[in-house]
Amino acid sequence: MSVLLGLALLAFWLYCLFDVITTPDEEVRNLPKILWVLIVVLLALVGGLFWLLLGRPLGPRPPRILLPPENAPREPRPQAPRGPDDDPDFLRDLDRRLRDED
């Protein structure tokens, strides 16, 4: 029983530490991010609770997807691979080779 409790506390502590580290600096509430890291590392359970109640950003975070600006020039996508039966040059060459063999 005590092993399960210890593992649960370790998981909670790691979750809070990871959450503090991955939260952008500008979204952290009440204290600078480095102080929150120190509080969570040094105070474990209490520090994690403080982080969740007082430091964590309120509301859901928007997904952090890096997209180019809308007015940025777009690079052309490479063409998808085509099968040999879709390539007119291949079909012409194949037809020529087949006629030469006959």
Side-chain angles (χ1 to χ4, degrees):
M1 181 68 176
S2 63
V3 172
L4 289 177
L5 183 62
L7 288 175
L9 290 175
L10 178 65
F12 175 74
W13 179 74
L14 287 173
Y15 169 78
C16 290
L17 184 60
F18 181 76
D19 195 38
V20 172
I21 292 171
T22 59
T23 300
D25 291 349
E26 61 274 2
E27 293 181 19
V28 174
R29 296 184 301 145
N30 296 323
L31 293 174
K33 183 175 175 176
I34 189 69
L35 285 179
W36 279 118
V37 171
L38 289 174
I39 289 170
V40 170
V41 167
L42 297 176
L43 299 178
L45 177 62
V46 177
L49 288 173
F50 282 161
W51 163 250
L52 292 177
L53 297 173
L54 303 173
R56 194 164 197 248
L58 297 175
R61 291 188 208 167
R64 299 185 70 191
I65 300 173
L66 299 177
L67 296 175
E70 290 190 24
N71 57 357
R74 295 181 183 240
E75 295 181 21
R77 287 185 165 187
Q79 286 189 343
R82 298 187 315 184
D85 55 338
D86 292 335
D87 186 2
D89 294 331
F90 175 79
L91 292 175
R92 267 193 300 276
D93 185 52
L94 180 63
D95 187 45
R96 183 184 49 80
R97 285 189 286 161
L98 286 174
R99 286 188 189 160
D100 288 344
E101 288 180 6
D102 288 341

PDB file of all heavy atoms in Angstrom, residues 1 3 16 46 58 67:
ATOM      1  N   MET A   1       0.825  -1.200   0.000  1.00  0.00           N
ATOM      2  CA  MET A   1       0.000   0.000   0.000  1.00  0.00           C
ATOM      3  C   MET A   1       0.866   1.259   0.000  1.00  0.00           C
ATOM      4  O   MET A   1       0.584   2.197  -0.724  1.00  0.00           O
ATOM      5  CB  MET A   1      -0.916  -0.040   1.240  1.00  0.00           C
ATOM      6  CG  MET A   1      -1.836   1.123   1.342  1.00  0.00           C
ATOM      7  SD  MET A   1      -3.048   1.066   0.036  1.00  0.00           S
ATOM      8  CE  MET A   1      -4.025   2.430   0.469  1.00  0.00           C
ATOM      9  N   VAL A   3       3.831   1.519  -1.128  1.00  0.00           N
ATOM     10  CA  VAL A   3       4.525   1.618  -2.414  1.00  0.00           C
ATOM     11  C   VAL A   3       3.620   2.314  -3.440  1.00  0.00           C
ATOM     12  O   VAL A   3       4.071   3.182  -4.183  1.00  0.00           O
ATOM     13  CB  VAL A   3       4.943   0.213  -2.913  1.00  0.00           C
ATOM     14  CG1 VAL A   3       5.489   0.286  -4.327  1.00  0.00           C
ATOM     15  CG2 VAL A   3       5.969  -0.395  -1.982  1.00  0.00           C
ATOM     16  N   CYS A  16       3.526  17.678 -12.209  1.00  0.00           N
ATOM     17  CA  CYS A  16       3.581  19.115 -11.898  1.00  0.00           C
ATOM     18  C   CYS A  16       4.885  19.730 -12.388  1.00  0.00           C
ATOM     19  O   CYS A  16       4.878  20.835 -12.957  1.00  0.00           O
ATOM     20  CB  CYS A  16       3.409  19.343 -10.395  1.00  0.00           C
ATOM     21  SG  CYS A  16       1.741  18.980  -9.823  1.00  0.00           S
ATOM     22  N   VAL A  46       3.332  19.683  -1.619  1.00  0.00           N
ATOM     23  CA  VAL A  46       2.765  21.007  -1.362  1.00  0.00           C
ATOM     24  C   VAL A  46       3.070  21.952  -2.522  1.00  0.00           C
ATOM     25  O   VAL A  46       2.212  22.726  -2.949  1.00  0.00           O
ATOM     26  CB  VAL A  46       3.305  21.572  -0.027  1.00  0.00           C
ATOM     27  CG1 VAL A  46       2.795  22.976   0.214  1.00  0.00           C
ATOM     28  CG2 VAL A  46       2.931  20.656   1.118  1.00  0.00           C
ATOM     29  N   LEU A  58      -4.972  29.685 -16.280  1.00  0.00           N
ATOM     30  CA  LEU A  58      -6.389  29.368 -16.199  1.00  0.00           C
ATOM     31  C   LEU A  58      -6.909  29.008 -17.578  1.00  0.00           C
ATOM     32  O   LEU A  58      -6.527  29.610 -18.575  1.00  0.00           O
ATOM     33  CB  LEU A  58      -7.169  30.566 -15.655  1.00  0.00           C
ATOM     34  CG  LEU A  58      -6.814  30.986 -14.232  1.00  0.00           C
ATOM     35  CD1 LEU A  58      -7.561  32.251 -13.863  1.00  0.00           C
ATOM     36  CD2 LEU A  58      -7.134  29.877 -13.249  1.00  0.00           C
ATOM     37  N   LEU A  67       2.804  27.602 -37.433  1.00  0.00           N
ATOM     38  CA  LEU A  67       2.328  27.788 -38.798  1.00  0.00           C
ATOM     39  C   LEU A  67       2.998  29.013 -39.392  1.00  0.00           C
ATOM     40  O   LEU A  67       3.254  29.989 -38.699  1.00  0.00           O
ATOM     41  CB  LEU A  67       0.811  27.989 -38.812  1.00  0.00           C
ATOM     42  CG  LEU A  67      -0.039  26.820 -38.325  1.00  0.00           C
ATOM     43  CD1 LEU A  67      -1.500  27.232 -38.280  1.00  0.00           C
ATOM     44  CD2 LEU A  67       0.139  25.632 -39.238  1.00  0.00           C
TER      45      LEU A  67
END
